[in-house]
């Protein structure tokens, strides 16, 4: 790097090398009062509030210089403002990329075969998208019409871009250079890179191929039927063979094409083979990256137009399917796989969840697919989400159930009742039963809490098995349970269920330490809907009072709530929420 402009003292202190045209300062009187590569970044930073909090590269400015009194060589410039820690903008620092150096990076001879001349062109798009301010040219094709600082006008016809030149017809291909990010004040300044070639050079191969076939046709007519037969056998057969080979190509696997002996066609077929090799390399890299990441993820792409399928290695493994050679998989086979998986769908849409049976009973694999469907392409990802789904189901279960006994917990019980009471017609005759597990404290103190847990579990199992499936059962607190019967034809039906439950409990014992057997004993209170209350709060309160009466009188019994006047037994209110 050589310094073009810098104070002499600065050069001596830093021991930098200087350019042959080095000067100690800019002569603005000779250069004019507007040098964009100095003025634009400086002024942009100057006009920005809190500039010290911004990334200084946001104010970087790309420009160019021509040969004049201030610049000895043509160059592309890049400059940024200099800002002190307090936000004071005090100068500009920049570099020049000499045009001759940039031209070496743009090998224009690669644009056209057979030593034909092309050009690379760099410019800045103006307000009119078809007009570009000239900056740099590499090559001779456009040199006659090019002038730095001038303008080039592009036009578009039948999908092809042309340069308006009076002397000859020039074709171009334009690419926009992304030099600025969206937060830059110069984001609207668009730099373009264009490849330029004469139209006749660009289509030379096509013209040559047409001329060649024309001569073959003339020659065939001239030498008669025999020459025609020989020509067809010699030229058409390998070409037709090549056509059939191309039609049978599967881009998902490497292939080779038969050489025809026709130079231009062989060049074209070789280029097609090379492109296929590069495509397979890209696909293999993508598949290897996913495999090396050790993530249960696969991807697929269906090309409806070409009727081809691309699948990464883990696709079959994630779905639990027998492995197949993905290069031999056709589009019909692919759709058949998903058709067979339809029965395992839990949800569908752009994101679909499949619940697929595992090798053992009760074992499942959960697979999520995310797809994007367009006219010609069906693209998607496949992910094994078994662990996440099971964790979610477990958390959902634990949120609504008592961990020790598996019954509904308080939150789930009252949420279920809230839904039921929103539609009172379905309740018909209903009853809220409050239950207290007798003697739990005695068992805990005498035999230990392990036996107490066994006592609770056995009682809970009796409650689950001794009531109809429609009844809602929950563990409210340590030794307190609730049952809500609903949809019954009358009170006698519910009383029958409770009597049957008492019989089951009477014949159920648990074996504690030292082979001692202990009977399950519970006390309960019953509140009827709608006589005793029309809300779960009222029913709970009154069933609790009835149960408390039993506990005070004779344990192991069920008692229905009785309305009293004046001296009802009171207990603390129990929140139903």
């Amino acid at each position: 790097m050589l310094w073009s402009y810098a104070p002499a003292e600065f050069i001596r202190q830093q021991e930098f090398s200087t350019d042959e045209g080095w000067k100690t300062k800019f002569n603005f009187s000779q250069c004019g009062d507007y040098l964009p590569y100095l003025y634009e970044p400086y002024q942009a930073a100057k006009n920005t509030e809190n500039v010290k909090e911004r990334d200084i590269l946001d104010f970087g400015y790309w420009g160019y210089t021509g040969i004049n009194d201030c610049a000895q060589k043509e160059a592309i410039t890049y400059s940024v403002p200099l800002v002190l820690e307090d936000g004071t903008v005090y100068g500009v620092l920049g570099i020049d990329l000499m045009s001759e150096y940039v031209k070496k990076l743009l090998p224009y001879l690669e644009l056209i075969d057979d030593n034909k001349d092309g050009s690379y062109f760099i410019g800045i798009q103006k307000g009119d998208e078809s007009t570009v301010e000239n900056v740099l040219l590499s090559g001779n094709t456009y040199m006659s019409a090019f002038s730095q600082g001038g303008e080039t006008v592009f036009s578009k016809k039948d999908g092809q871009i042309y340069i308006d030149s009076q002397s000859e017809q020039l074709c171009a291909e334009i690419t926009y250079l992304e030099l600025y990010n969206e937060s830059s004040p110069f984001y609207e300044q668009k730099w373009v890179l264009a490849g330029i070639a004469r139209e006749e050079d660009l289509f030379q191969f096509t013209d040559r191929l047409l001329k060649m076939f024309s001569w073959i046709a003339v020659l065939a007519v001239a030498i008669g039927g025999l020459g025609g037969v020989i020509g067809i056998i010699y030229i058409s057969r390998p070409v037709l063979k090549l056509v059939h080979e191309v039609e049978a190509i599967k881009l998902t696997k490497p292939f080779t094409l038969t050489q025809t002996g026709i130079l231009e066609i062989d060049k074209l077929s070789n280029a097609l083979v090379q492109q296929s090799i590069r495509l397979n390399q890209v696909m293999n890299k993508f598949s290897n990256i996913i495999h090396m990441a050790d993530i249960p993820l696969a991807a697929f792409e269906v090309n409806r137009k070409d009727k081809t399928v691309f699948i990464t290695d883990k696709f079959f493994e994630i779905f639990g399917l027998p492995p197949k050679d993905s290069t031999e998989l056709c589009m019909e086979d692919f759709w058949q796989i998903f058709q067979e998986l339809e029965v395992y769908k839990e949800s569908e849409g752009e994101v679909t969840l499949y619940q697929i049976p595992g090798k053992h009973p009760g074992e499942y694999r959960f697979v999520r697919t995310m797809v994007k469907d367009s006219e010609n392409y069906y693209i998607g990802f496949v992910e094994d989400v078994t662990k996440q789904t099971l964790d979610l189901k477990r958390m959902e279960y634990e949120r609504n159930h008592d961990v020790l006994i598996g019954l509904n917990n308080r939150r789930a019980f009252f949420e279920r009742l809230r839904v039921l009471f929103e539609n009172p017609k379905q309740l018909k005759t209903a009853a809220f039963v409050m239950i207290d597990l007798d003697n739990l404290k005695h068992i805990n103190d005498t035999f230990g809490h392990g036996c107490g847990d066994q006592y609770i579990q056995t009682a809970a199992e009796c409650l689950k098995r001794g009531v109809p499936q429609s009844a809602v059962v929950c563990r409210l607190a340590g030794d307190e349970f609730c049952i809500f019967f609903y949809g019954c034809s009358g009170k006698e039906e519910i009383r029958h269920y409770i009597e049957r439950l008492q019989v089951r409990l009477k014949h159920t014992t648990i074996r504690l330490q030292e082979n001692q057997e202990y009977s399950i004993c519970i006390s309960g209170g019953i509140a009827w809907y709608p006589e005793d209350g029309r809300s779960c709060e009222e029913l709970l309160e009154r069933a609790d009072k009835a149960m408390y009466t039993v506990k005070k009188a004779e344990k192991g019994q069920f008692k229905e709530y009785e309305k009293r006047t004046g001296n009802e037994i009171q207990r603390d209110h129990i929140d139903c929420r």
Side-chain angles (χ1 to χ4, degrees):
M1 182 174 71
L2 303 178
W3 287 80
S4 298
Y5 292 90
E9 184 62 26
F10 176 77
I11 295 297
R12 283 196 297 272
Q13 290 178 358
Q14 303 298 327
E15 298 182 354
F16 286 136
S17 300
T18 60
D19 190 32
E20 61 182 359
W22 166 70
K23 293 183 180 180
T24 60
K25 60 183 179 180
F26 283 97
N27 189 340
F28 285 95
S29 61
Q30 294 177 355
C31 301
D33 59 355
Y34 183 78
L35 297 173
Y37 54 89
L38 296 178
Y39 179 81
E40 293 290 350
Y42 178 86
Q43 202 63 27
K46 193 75 174 175
N47 294 335
T48 300
E49 294 183 2
N50 299 322
V51 66
K52 63 182 179 180
E53 298 178 2
R54 295 280 299 275
D55 187 344
I56 202 66
L57 296 181
D58 286 348
F59 302 99
Y61 177 80
W62 290 88
Y64 69 93
T65 63
I67 298 176
N68 52 42
D69 292 335
C70 288
Q72 303 300 319
K73 297 180 180 179
E74 295 179 353
I76 294 176
T77 66
Y78 179 72
S79 49
V80 296
L82 300 173
V83 182
L84 295 176
E85 292 182 356
D86 62 359
T88 301
V89 184
Y90 67 92
V92 174
L93 176 67
I95 62 171
D96 293 343
L97 297 174
M98 295 297 106
S99 295
E100 292 303 319
Y101 170 73
V102 177
K103 289 178 182 180
K104 292 178 182 179
L105 303 179
L106 302 173
Y108 57 88
L109 291 177
E110 72 179 7
L111 292 173
I112 302 294
D113 292 336
D114 298 333
N115 297 320
K116 298 294 183 179
D117 196 7
S119 293
Y120 277 113
F121 166 83
I122 295 179
I124 304 174
Q125 190 178 73
K126 306 191 77 173
D128 179 5
E129 293 187 358
S130 63
T131 303
V132 176
E133 184 179 346
N134 301 339
V135 174
L136 180 143
L137 180 75
S138 171
N140 300 319
T141 297
Y142 188 43
M143 188 63 74
S144 59
F146 179 86
S147 61
Q148 187 167 13
E151 295 180 349
T152 296
V153 178
F154 293 92
S155 61
K156 198 169 184 179
K157 182 180 179 183
D158 297 332
Q160 176 64 53
I161 300 175
Y162 294 94
I163 294 178
D164 296 342
S165 175
Q166 296 179 353
S167 57
E168 53 189 341
Q169 188 79 357
L170 301 176
C171 298
E173 180 65 28
I174 295 177
T175 297
Y176 287 92
L177 305 177
E178 297 181 1
L179 302 182
Y180 301 106
N181 58 43
E182 293 184 358
S183 60
S184 170
F186 311 113
Y187 180 69
E188 296 300 326
Q189 185 193 66
K190 304 295 185 183
W191 284 65
V192 299
L193 171 66
I196 304 170
R198 295 181 180 87
E199 187 174 29
E200 61 269 20
D201 293 340
L202 187 64
F203 297 107
Q204 180 183 19
F205 168 74
T206 303
D207 294 340
R208 183 185 299 176
L209 192 62
L210 291 174
K211 290 179 181 178
M212 180 188 67
F213 279 112
S214 297
W215 278 108
I216 291 174
V218 171
L219 181 61
V221 172
I223 62 176
L226 179 61
V229 172
I230 295 174
I232 291 172
I233 294 174
Y234 181 73
I235 297 174
S236 300
R237 181 178 292 174
V239 172
L240 288 173
K241 183 179 180 181
L242 179 62
V243 169
H244 293 315
E245 290 178 354
V246 171
E247 289 176 345
I249 285 175
K250 287 188 176 181
L251 294 178
T252 54
K253 58 189 300 185
F255 61 87
T256 57
L257 297 175
T258 303
Q259 298 293 295
T260 64
I262 303 172
L263 179 62
E264 287 77 4
I265 294 180
D266 289 343
K267 279 186 176 182
L268 182 62
S269 62
N270 289 336
L272 186 60
V273 171
Q274 293 302 316
Q275 288 294 334
S276 171
I277 293 173
R278 284 191 284 270
L279 176 62
N280 275 275
Q281 289 173 344
V282 171
M283 292 192 297
N284 288 334
K285 286 180 181 178
F286 176 70
S287 183
N288 289 336
I289 288 172
I290 294 179
H291 183 75
M292 292 173 64
D294 197 25
I295 300 173
L297 184 69
F300 59 84
E301 179 195 74
V302 179
N303 187 325
R304 292 188 177 98
K305 185 177 180 181
D306 296 337
K307 295 185 178 182
T308 57
V309 177
F310 165 70
I311 293 178
T312 56
D313 294 339
K314 289 188 177 182
F315 179 87
F316 296 104
E317 177 186 340
I318 290 175
F319 274 116
L321 299 173
K324 294 182 180 180
D325 185 356
S326 60
T327 61
E328 299 293 338
L329 193 68
C330 66
M331 198 166 67
E332 289 74 17
D333 293 338
F334 178 82
W335 296 130
Q336 182 62 32
I337 290 173
F338 276 96
Q339 188 66 34
E340 293 172 357
L341 292 171
E342 280 285 322
V343 294
Y344 305 125
K345 273 187 180 180
E346 276 206 343
S347 63
E348 59 182 318
E350 286 194 358
V351 178
T352 302
L353 183 66
Y354 294 88
Q355 181 177 346
I356 303 172
K359 296 180 180 178
H360 306 290
E363 181 181 286
Y364 292 95
R365 177 194 301 263
F366 293 89
V367 178
R368 179 173 60 196
T369 63
M370 293 159 285
V371 299
K372 187 70 175 179
D373 197 0
S374 61
E375 182 179 354
N376 292 323
Y377 294 95
Y378 186 77
I379 303 171
F381 284 94
V382 177
E383 183 181 8
D384 188 333
V385 292
T386 302
K387 183 179 183 304
Q388 301 95 305
T389 304
L390 292 179
D391 287 346
L392 186 63
K393 288 179 178 290
R394 177 181 55 78
M395 288 188 292
E396 181 69 20
Y397 179 84
E398 291 177 355
R399 188 169 69 97
N400 292 322
H401 292 80
D402 186 285
V403 177
L404 178 63
I405 58 178
L407 287 178
N408 289 321
N409 59 19
R410 182 190 191 95
R411 193 204 71 80
F413 177 74
F414 286 111
E415 175 61 23
R416 174 66 177 145
L417 262 61
R418 183 189 65 78
V419 174
L420 290 173
F421 275 83
E422 286 179 353
N423 185 12
K425 290 183 179 180
Q426 65 182 325
L427 298 178
K428 297 182 180 179
T429 299
F432 196 111
V433 182
M434 187 73 179
I435 295 174
D436 186 86
L437 188 56
D438 298 328
N439 304 321
L440 177 62
K441 185 176 185 306
H442 171 72
I443 292 175
N444 281 334
D445 294 342
T446 305
F447 301 102
H449 286 274
C451 292
D453 288 346
Q454 183 183 352
Y455 188 60
I456 294 172
Q457 290 170 333
T458 305
E461 189 65 25
C462 285
L463 294 179
K464 283 191 291 185
R465 295 181 179 275
V467 299
Q469 191 172 2
S470 62
V472 187
V473 185
C474 96
R475 182 186 182 190
L476 193 65
D479 58 355
E480 291 184 329
F481 295 82
C482 292
I483 305 175
F484 185 70
F485 297 93
Y486 71 96
C488 299
S489 58
K491 290 183 180 181
E492 288 305 318
E493 181 181 349
I494 296 177
R495 289 188 181 114
H496 171 72
Y497 291 142
I498 295 174
E499 289 172 2
R500 191 173 65 180
L501 176 60
Q502 287 180 296
V503 171
R504 176 182 286 272
L505 289 167
K506 184 178 180 180
H507 292 88
T508 301
T509 59
I510 61 170
R511 187 177 296 277
L512 302 178
Q513 294 177 358
E514 299 176 358
N515 294 324
Q516 295 187 40
E517 289 191 348
Y518 211 93
S519 299
I520 304 296
C521 183
I522 63 174
S523 300
I526 306 168
W528 295 101
Y529 172 88
E531 291 91 334
D532 298 332
R534 291 183 174 273
S535 69
C536 64
E537 289 86 355
E538 291 178 319
L539 293 173
L540 170 62
E541 180 184 0
R542 288 163 185 177
D544 185 56
K545 288 178 180 179
M547 180 196 73
Y548 191 71
T549 302
V550 173
K551 296 282 287 185
K552 288 292 185 180
E554 184 180 1
K555 293 182 179 180
Q557 302 297 321
F558 281 81
K559 181 176 179 60
E560 298 180 11
Y561 174 75
E562 296 178 357
K563 294 184 179 179
R564 302 180 185 178
T565 58
N567 59 349
E568 280 187 329
I569 298 174
Q570 299 292 326
R571 293 194 67 191
D572 293 337
H573 175 68
I574 300 177
D575 188 3
C576 291
R577 291 172 297 173

